[in-house]
Amino acid sequence: MKEIEIDKKSVPNHVAVIMDGNGRWAKQKGKNRLFGHRNGVKAVRETIEAAAEIGIKHITLYAFSTENWDRPKDEINGLMELLVFTIDKEIKTLMENDISLHAIGDLKSLPSNCYRELMRAIDKTSSNKRMKLILALSYSSKWEIMNALRVLAKDIEGKKISSADIDEELFNSYLTTAPYPNPELLIRTSGEHRISNFLLWQIAYAELYFTEKLWPDFRKEDFYEAIADYQKRERRFGKTSEQLTKVLQ
Ligand code: IPE
Ligand code: IPE
Ligand code: MG
């Protein structure tokens, strides 16, 4: 295995992942799409472990999008069952590794057993401190922004806030991601170069990393490769390179 050098002192605080390619992985093997989803669980486990081991504090995994509700019924049901089963099975590991579970998205739209299991795991792991694992479930960025705007408009109507108060910080506080910092790095697997309605506001200045690997094949070293790649980049935030490297006199 080739050496991947990571500077543990400058790992991103928050990494977001679009876990894509389960269906194609299964198709390559002549199996149905659910077989792909089931085999994606190992990649989830490896990614969480890899992130915790190098001291990353937040990881958000895109597990199910608002648009994914338009998939065939059988696939949706299978995915929801897999979700309940996996959360139940992994609570123990989350406890042992001091990881707290969180969720963003239109959670009320999940089947009731799924919602209950999720809440139970969130509650049980809530005082864990090492890392926050945030699942994006029935999530889409446009849904989140519309939802934030609706609540914000109500608060103006109810005179809780005035329209003059609206700034980036206030708007941010209405998003489901309000408790978490913005991701510095977004990883997408499966060779697709798109965002698919994920964290549009929050990734305004994130570094994007795309890999051809299909999600079920994604392993710790793939995650570390993404981190190493991120660490080679110069994040300029609109400034010039010279401004960033200039030593103050
Ligand atoms: C990602 O894999 C998992 C979900 C979106 C739930 P896909 O199911 O999108 O797999 P592909 O992209 O069709 O290969
Ligand atoms: C994005 O993957 C959503 C998740 C990974 C949960 P999709 O497979 O749904 O995205 P598109 O349709 O290829 O853009
Ligand atoms: Mg896909």
Side-chain angles (χ1 to χ4, degrees):
M1 200 167 56
K2 71 172 183 271
E3 264 307 300
I4 305 164
E5 275 193 39
I6 289 173
D7 175 4
K8 284 197 183 170
K9 287 191 291 300
S10 65
V11 295
N13 186 15
H14 186 172
V15 178
V17 188
I18 303 178
M19 312 183 288
D20 196 19
N22 296 352
R24 278 162 283 168
W25 187 89
K27 197 171 185 183
Q28 282 174 4
K29 297 187 156 39
K31 303 278 173 105
N32 67 14
R33 300 180 56 85
L34 270 173
F35 181 77
H37 297 314
R38 280 197 289 272
N39 279 278
V41 176
K42 187 172 164 63
V44 172
R45 211 175 289 131
E46 291 235 350
T47 301
I48 297 168
E49 243 178 69
E53 274 170 22
I54 56 168
I56 287 170
K57 291 291 174 197
H58 306 80
I59 184 148
T60 298
L61 303 178
Y62 203 6
F64 195 83
S65 74
T66 307
E67 288 78 16
N68 289 151
W69 289 115
D70 293 332
R71 289 195 178 189
K73 269 244 147 40
D74 285 356
E75 183 175 353
I76 296 175
N77 293 341
L79 268 169
M80 294 298 148
E81 269 172 37
L82 181 65
L83 190 70
V84 175
F85 177 78
T86 309
I87 292 175
D88 183 51
K89 206 163 143 256
E90 299 298 324
I91 288 185
K92 196 165 160 269
T93 323
L94 295 178
M95 293 309 290
E96 283 164 4
N97 290 288
D98 200 18
I99 297 168
S100 60
L101 183 69
H102 305 252
I104 55 170
D106 187 8
L107 305 179
K108 289 277 160 63
S109 68
L110 295 170
S112 56
N113 65 328
C114 205
Y115 180 79
R116 265 201 316 275
E117 190 54 34
L118 184 66
M119 289 305 139
R120 190 174 78 87
I122 288 175
D123 195 47
K124 184 122 201 263
T125 60
S126 64
S127 47
N128 292 347
K129 291 281 176 294
R130 186 175 176 200
M131 184 175 82
K132 290 185 166 73
L133 163 62
I134 305 147
L135 290 183
L137 284 168
S138 191
Y139 175 90
S140 80
S141 200
K142 285 191 174 180
W143 165 82
E144 178 183 43
I145 290 170
M146 284 302 118
N147 192 53
L149 286 177
R150 252 178 252 120
V151 182
L152 184 73
K154 269 218 178 91
D155 283 352
I156 294 175
E157 268 169 24
K159 308 242 185 293
K160 267 206 221 162
I161 54 162
S162 128
S163 61
D165 297 334
I166 298 175
D167 58 10
E168 273 193 31
E169 199 187 333
L170 182 87
F171 180 66
N172 204 53
S173 73
Y174 281 84
L175 298 173
T176 56
T177 52
Y180 320 113
N182 288 333
E184 293 97 333
L185 172 66
L186 171 71
I187 300 172
R188 182 172 189 146
T189 58
S190 89
E192 306 295 358
H193 295 183
R194 56 177 171 262
I195 304 299
S196 303
N197 214 348
F198 191 41
L199 303 174
L200 299 176
W201 166 273
Q202 298 86 342
I203 60 165
Y205 254 111
E207 296 296 325
L208 309 181
Y209 180 88
F210 300 101
T211 165
E212 293 294 318
K213 277 268 168 95
L214 300 174
W215 182 251
D217 289 329
F218 195 77
R219 291 291 171 269
K220 268 190 189 179
E221 47 284 14
D222 299 305
F223 184 80
Y224 289 144
E225 246 171 53
I227 302 295
D229 191 274
Y230 164 85
Q231 291 185 331
K232 286 196 218 106
R233 301 185 189 187
E234 183 180 61
R235 306 188 72 207
R236 290 191 286 278
F237 300 99
K239 296 199 172 80
T240 67
S241 186
E242 289 71 23
Q243 281 176 297
L244 296 175
T245 49
K246 198 166 109 185
V247 185
L248 291 175
Q249 315 213 327

